[in-house]
Every structure is written in C-alpha cells, then in structure tokens.
Amino acid sequence: MIDPTSIIDKRAELASDVSIGPYTIIGADVKIDSGTVIGPHVVIKGPTSIGKDNRIFQFSSIGEDPQDKKYAAELTRLEIGDRNTIREFTTMHRGTQQDNSITKIGNDNLFMAYTHVAHDCMIGDHVVMANGASLAGHVSLSSHAILGGFTLVHQFTKIGQYSFAAMGSAITQDVPPFVMVGGKPTRPHGINTVGMERNGFSPEDIRLIRKAYKIVYKMNLRLEDAIDELLNLHGENIHLGELADFLRHVSRGILR
C-alpha cells in the first residue's frame, strides 16, 4: 500500500490500510486515518490530521506553512475530516496564531483541481469548490455551499450554507445562506432553488426563503430592520432562523 519511492517521516502516524503513491512525501506530525488514498507526488506537512476514506490526488500540497508575513514558525494545525476528494494541485495551509491556530475542513467535500484553502479557513460539509476557486485567509465556508470555477473570496468573509457562486465571482463581502451570486461586479441573483430541492427542502421552505430574500434585497431596508422582519416571518422555520442569525453576525456587511 506504500510505494517504496515515497518518503515518510518516522513521526508520522498512518493507519495500516492507508495507500501512498510514488514519490509522495509525508512529514512529521502527520496523522492519516484508515481508507485514505494518497496519490503520487503529494506533499503533506504537519501538524496535519486527515480522517477516513479521503482521496488526495497527485501534486497536491497539504498542510504547508501559511502564506502570511506575520507567521513566524508557530505550532499551528490543519484538520481534514472524512471522505473528502482533493484533486490535482490543490493547496491547503495550516492556521496562524492570529486566529485559532487551525485550518479546519469537514466531511464529504470536493476540491477540484488548483483550488486553494488559505490559513485559518473553516469549511463545513458537502462543499464544492470548482477548478481554480480560492479562499483567502480566515474565510468561513458553510456546508453545502458551491463555488464556481475561479471564484475568489476575500479574507475574513463568510459564505452561508446552500449558497452558490457562479464562475469567476469575486466575493468581497459576506454571502447569506441560500443566496446565488455572480456577474461582474458580483451581485446577488435570487436564491439557490435547485440546490435546495436537491437537498430535500420542502416547497414551503423554499417559498419562505424566497420571501426572506425579497425582504433583505428588494425592500430597501437597513440590515437591522430586515432582520426584524425575518424574525416576524420565520415562526418555527429553522432555515429562516439560521438566515437571521447569519445576518446578525456578518463581519464585512453582506454582498448587495
């Protein structure tokens, strides 16, 4: 399961069934759990932990030092969950002490070729980053979000769950849950109906989310007033409650 041309540090911890391809380098303080397959010419630097049943393709660089001038070789981490697919030339960097010292990636995500996850990013589950999409430092990318090819996300930006960014989007402010963005300049374009339908949202849920979108984007309300309207609307609907909570905690204002 381990190619003889690979180089594995004695301080790395690999489950017995991990597969390592030719010329791959595994550094110290790397932990890889069972069922994970590492292709050829991959470099993994620790401290990094990789969960079960991941697939990492050739020429990826995982767990390298953050690209931050303030970084001074402090002990920081990268954590990757289970069943992620990490395609060719993807780069994922460890965290910095300026944040929580960790970059964290959840489960069942797809990172297509040439994607980049910078230091201190937090990524949920079932996320798709298409070819060339890149996250700057300290970005939060929530579960089921999709970033089209060559999407660029500004540092400290939050991307909500079930949101969708079209190819080539430049995201400089927070994107609320369920919202589609795209164009040049990048602007909101309704809700991600197809994504929600594919994930089992009821017609009533989608109707309420569409109404919430109109409150936030079509009624010319201040954000604080829009949140009040959402709280009056949502009742017991969990999705509208999550949307209102996201808007209460935006860090850079929302993309409008």
Side-chain angles (χ1 to χ4, degrees):
M1 301 292 285
I2 298 179
D3 191 275
T5 63
S6 63
I7 300 174
I8 301 175
D9 193 282
K10 292 180 179 179
R11 292 167 290 176
E13 298 180 23
L14 278 60
S16 59
D17 62 346
V18 168
S19 176
I20 307 292
Y23 304 104
T24 282
I25 299 174
I26 309 293
D29 302 315
V30 173
K31 296 181 180 180
I32 305 176
D33 211 334
S34 63
T36 291
V37 177
I38 313 293
H41 298 279
V42 174
V43 178
I44 304 178
K45 184 175 180 179
T48 291
S49 64
I50 300 173
K52 297 178 180 179
D53 300 317
N54 294 282
R55 180 79 188 275
I56 302 178
F57 283 72
Q58 57 267 28
F59 306 111
S60 296
S61 176
I62 308 298
E64 190 50 83
D65 294 350
Q67 296 179 134
D68 188 324
K69 292 179 70 175
K70 299 184 295 299
Y71 179 71
E74 303 94 349
L75 189 65
T76 61
R77 298 183 53 77
L78 168 66
E79 291 185 4
I80 299 174
D82 302 331
R83 299 178 303 278
N84 294 286
T85 299
I86 300 170
R87 295 302 304 249
E88 302 87 340
F89 296 96
T90 292
T91 52
M92 296 178 172
H93 293 166
R94 304 191 320 279
T96 66
Q97 284 190 345
Q98 285 72 40
D99 203 325
N100 294 315
S101 298
I102 186 171
T103 302
K104 192 168 185 178
I105 293 167
N107 306 317
D108 301 293
N109 300 300
L110 170 58
F111 301 91
M112 297 187 193
Y114 293 94
T115 51
H116 174 63
V117 178
H119 58 88
D120 303 291
C121 287
M122 296 288 165
I123 297 178
D125 305 327
H126 300 283
V127 161
V128 176
M129 291 179 59
N131 298 68
S134 294
L135 307 181
H138 313 276
V139 167
S140 174
L141 186 60
S142 298
S143 297
H144 295 277
I146 297 176
L147 303 184
F150 303 99
T151 292
L152 304 177
V153 183
H154 195 283
Q155 61 262 34
F156 295 100
T157 299
K158 298 177 182 178
I159 310 293
Q161 61 187 1
Y162 297 98
S163 59
F164 179 92
M167 179 187 70
S169 297
I171 299 174
T172 59
Q173 292 179 291
D174 295 355
V175 177
F178 319 115
V179 172
M180 294 193 304
V181 300
K184 297 184 183 300
T186 302
R187 293 288 184 265
H189 294 280
I191 63 172
N192 183 18
T193 303
V194 172
M196 289 185 284
E197 289 175 344
R198 288 175 176 173
N199 284 281
F201 280 59
S202 70
E204 177 63 12
D205 285 337
I206 294 172
R207 184 190 71 82
L208 287 173
I209 291 168
R210 183 175 289 110
K211 189 171 183 179
Y213 177 87
K214 291 178 180 178
I215 290 172
V216 175
Y217 286 101
K218 301 296 186 181
M219 294 177 62
N220 296 317
L221 298 173
R222 295 186 312 144
L223 187 57
E224 295 81 1
D225 295 331
I227 293 170
D228 289 340
E229 290 292 329
L230 289 178
L231 294 175
N232 292 331
L233 174 67
H234 87 84
E236 299 300 320
N237 187 278
I238 186 173
H239 305 301
L240 296 192
E242 291 167 345
L243 175 58
D245 186 64
F246 180 96
L247 295 175
R248 279 196 296 264
H249 295 92
V250 295
S251 59
R252 296 179 51 81
I254 63 170
L255 200 66
R256 281 185 162 179

